[in-house]
Amino acid sequence: MDRATTRRSWRTGATAGVAVSTLLFLFAGCSSNPATSQQPGPTDPLTRSATAATAMPATTVPPATVAPTTTRTVQPIAGAGGLGDVAFPDLGNGGYDVASYTITIDARPDDPSIRATTRIDAIATNDLGSFHLDLHGFAVRSVNVDGSPAAFTREGDELIVTPSTAVLDDADFSVDVSYDGVPDPLHDPDIGRVGWIDIGPTSYVVGEPHGAHAWFPGNDHPSDKAIFEFRVSVPTGVVAVANGTLSEQRAAGATTMWIWDQSEPMATYLATVAIGDFTIQTGVGPHGLPLRNVFATRLAAAAADATARTAEMIEVLESWFGPYPFSTYGALVVDDGFGFALETQTLSLFPRSIAVRTTASQRIQVHELAHQWFGDSLSLSRWQDIWLNEGFATYTESLWLERTQPGYDIDREMQSFANKKYGPITHPTSDTLFGDAEYERGAIVLHALRRTVGDEIFFAILRDYATTFRHASVDTAAFVSLVSRHVGRPMNDFFEQWLNAPTTPALPSR
Ligand SMILES: [Zn+2]
């Protein structure tokens, strides 16, 4: 997200105990879905038998014995309703890991309601008597698990599903949720509405940080990435776009279904759909990378002019961070006046104000493009490490200007950030997640690192970081560890000072 937005004040109910235990757990290097409650679920304990399989070469004659049979007790639990993220304790759910979402939506510009089915293919990480999905609003019509009707209840923004038989640990299972109604965006005092935003002839999505579950049910936390397919039906003549690549347009009578595939893993908050009067402009980027921009038709000429340097930007960022991590890129410019931009994966979302040829517009475009590496390909294990997204994207703005704008002085800009005397940045609350400190002190940290280790090591670090954690999850500890390896000594104290000293130390000179 670009930093036109500043403070947020969404309150959570995190307790100190939850905060400490989650911090330790995540810094221990765990990946997705760490939290699962241990209470027995409503389903009776089951037992199941499994035959131990022994792999052997095909040429070996099997011995004439029966393979041993093992029996274990299945004690289904209730999957947890949150992952204990310090900033958003209720986001995400325990007990499973989503592999893919197939989101089927019927939407019309003249109708504020949508009719939708979301299919979730997941793998259980426990024996599950019940499990949660995050979902805000809508009337849920049915929930099927592996094709069979399942019981469900709603508790706030939790959809609690009890399948007719327990889902066994490590099993693949599917969930189909059918729902409809007028989307009810969640409110954020600084970002504004997040979720499915309907402005009349156009609808679009704002997902960060907690808006995804206001338009589709799922595991709404960036630590559980999945691939997505979007099947969006609109009246023929209306354009429907989403992340990834258009695989098919299927006309049926007066309706056309647009099918978009996001085949690389994606965090839920980066999922996007837009419908309305759009013009799709295609092009080619570096090494044949397909580009597709989606412009509100009224703005198409100005937006095309403003975004004319996208291919060049990708090429320059690739020279620093390594190959662009996805199979396509482009800008979605909506004819609306919101005060932010968002790095929706492969299709960054911009308001109409981007459609001007100015340095400010360029900075925002570079910022969202940088997030495709830092934020999208490398996504957060926990929201509190947001500086790994925003500090990197903000510093990339400055790198771009240093490269392309004669007279731009990056040291002077970083000093201007330092003069603001930001406090520590690795423990933001949901109130301060998008505060300027995460952006500007985050950028200062990277600049201090660059001036300390020199350009050669610094850019090797950025490239290695983007490559090592491509399409994976990151936290501050992982970055510090990688930097320490490059520098050849522990850099924990360096980062502790630059990230968390009461104010930033004096910037090293060039
Ligand atoms: Zn950003």
Side-chain angles (χ1 to χ4, degrees):
M1 180 162 289
D2 89 328
R3 58 208 169 96
T5 56
T6 53
R7 295 198 68 254
R8 308 180 59 252
S9 58
W10 192 69
R11 294 278 169 195
T12 69
T15 64
V18 168
V20 169
S21 63
T22 305
L23 182 71
L24 293 172
F25 197 91
L26 289 170
F27 268 87
C30 189
S31 62
S32 62
N33 297 340
T36 305
S37 76
Q38 296 303 312
Q39 297 83 17
T43 309
D44 290 336
L46 307 171
T47 58
R48 69 173 177 183
S49 297
T51 302
T54 306
M56 60 183 62
T59 52
T60 305
V61 177
T65 57
V66 176
T69 297
T70 58
T71 302
R72 75 172 180 87
T73 300
V74 177
Q75 186 85 32
I77 64 163
L83 290 173
D85 189 294
V86 177
F88 297 99
D90 296 331
L91 284 189
N93 306 287
Y96 61 91
D97 189 1
V98 177
S100 69
Y101 293 90
T102 305
I103 302 175
T104 304
I105 293 180
D106 175 27
R108 314 184 154 266
D110 59 358
D111 179 355
S113 67
I114 64 172
R115 294 143 297 281
T117 299
T118 292
R119 181 190 179 91
I120 298 166
D121 287 290
I123 184 164
T125 56
N126 269 294
D127 295 327
L128 291 173
S130 65
F131 56 88
H132 288 230
L133 301 172
D134 301 305
L135 180 65
H136 174 78
F138 298 108
V140 174
R141 302 300 178 184
S142 66
V143 179
N144 283 5
V145 175
D146 288 332
S148 297
F152 61 91
T153 57
R154 310 286 302 270
E155 283 182 17
D157 287 352
E158 303 287 331
L159 171 62
I160 304 166
V161 179
T162 304
S164 55
T165 56
V167 176
L168 298 184
D169 185 18
D170 209 32
D172 295 323
F173 67 106
S174 66
V175 188
D176 291 276
V177 181
S178 292
Y179 55 104
D180 57 62
V182 177
D184 178 28
L186 290 159
H187 181 71
D188 182 283
D190 294 303
I191 296 172
R193 296 181 297 166
V194 296
W196 178 279
I197 311 298
D198 180 355
I199 56 169
T202 297
S203 294
Y204 62 95
V205 162
V206 178
E208 193 176 21
H210 62 314
H213 69 278
W215 67 285
F216 67 94
N219 197 21
D220 192 9
H221 191 273
S223 61
D224 189 3
K225 302 207 282 191
I227 62 172
F228 282 70
E229 182 180 273
F230 303 89
R231 306 161 73 91
V232 186
S233 292
V234 290
T236 299
V238 173
V239 171
V241 297
N243 313 81
T245 301
L246 179 64
S247 63
E248 192 180 347
Q249 277 176 274
R250 193 180 295 168
T255 298
T256 299
M257 177 185 281
W258 298 63
I259 303 176
W260 294 82
D261 286 318
Q262 173 58 65
S263 55
E264 299 96 357
M266 178 165 73
T268 47
Y269 78 91
L270 298 169
T272 200
V273 163
I275 68 162
D277 179 10
F278 291 107
T279 297
I280 299 179
Q281 176 204 61
T282 59
V284 179
H287 48 80
L289 179 74
L291 302 179
R292 45 98 187 85
N293 292 313
V294 182
F295 300 138
T297 297
R298 189 182 76 82
L299 305 169
D305 184 57
T307 58
R309 296 180 76 175
T310 298
E312 177 193 355
M313 289 173 179
I314 294 170
E315 193 168 9
V316 169
L317 268 58
E318 284 189 331
S319 75
W320 297 324
F321 311 146
Y324 175 76
F326 303 111
S327 53
T328 186
Y329 187 65
L332 168 60
V333 180
V334 175
D335 193 2
D336 198 4
F338 48 88
F340 55 84
L342 182 58
E343 62 270 25
T344 29
Q345 190 161 303
T346 74
L347 186 63
S348 293
L349 170 69
F350 299 100
R352 67 168 78 94
S353 58
I354 199 76
V356 290
R357 189 189 276 247
T358 62
T359 298
S361 172
Q362 247 183 57
R363 287 187 75 132
I364 294 169
Q365 291 175 53
V366 167
H367 182 108
E368 307 312 331
L369 178 60
H371 274 312
Q372 302 299 314
W373 282 265
F374 304 114
D376 294 7
S377 171
L378 282 67
S379 57
L380 299 178
S381 298
R382 46 173 226 150
W383 277 110
Q384 285 203 312
D385 284 318
I386 189 78
W387 83 273
L388 291 172
N389 290 6
E390 301 306 346
F392 280 66
T394 301
Y395 194 59
T396 306
E397 295 174 35
S398 297
L399 290 174
W400 168 258
L401 294 180
E402 185 183 35
R403 168 72 68 94
T404 60
Q405 195 171 96
Y408 174 78
D409 184 340
I410 195 168
D411 291 289
R412 187 193 303 171
E413 176 150 59
M414 292 304 128
Q415 188 58 52
S416 77
F417 291 170
N419 292 344
K420 297 177 187 176
K421 303 201 178 305
Y422 293 116
I425 58 171
T426 62
H427 298 84
T429 65
S430 56
D431 291 1
T432 57
L433 204 58
F434 299 106
D436 284 351
E438 299 299 326
Y439 293 73
E440 296 189 350
R441 185 162 175 172
I444 291 168
V445 172
L446 294 177
H447 193 60
L449 177 64
R450 179 182 174 192
R451 289 290 179 249
T452 300
V453 303
D455 277 12
E456 188 176 340
I457 293 176
F458 176 74
F459 285 103
I461 286 168
L462 293 187
R463 193 182 181 97
D464 187 20
Y465 178 55
T467 304
T468 299
F469 295 101
R470 181 181 169 95
H471 297 154
S473 300
V474 290
D475 57 24
T476 297
F479 181 62
V480 171
S481 171
L482 181 138
V483 171
S484 299
R485 280 201 302 279
H486 277 267
V487 177
R489 65 176 187 277
M491 292 292 280
N492 304 60
D493 289 347
F494 172 91
F495 280 101
E496 188 53 34
Q497 284 297 306
W498 285 95
L499 290 164
N500 286 329
T503 59
T504 48
L507 274 165
S509 56
R510 183 189 290 266

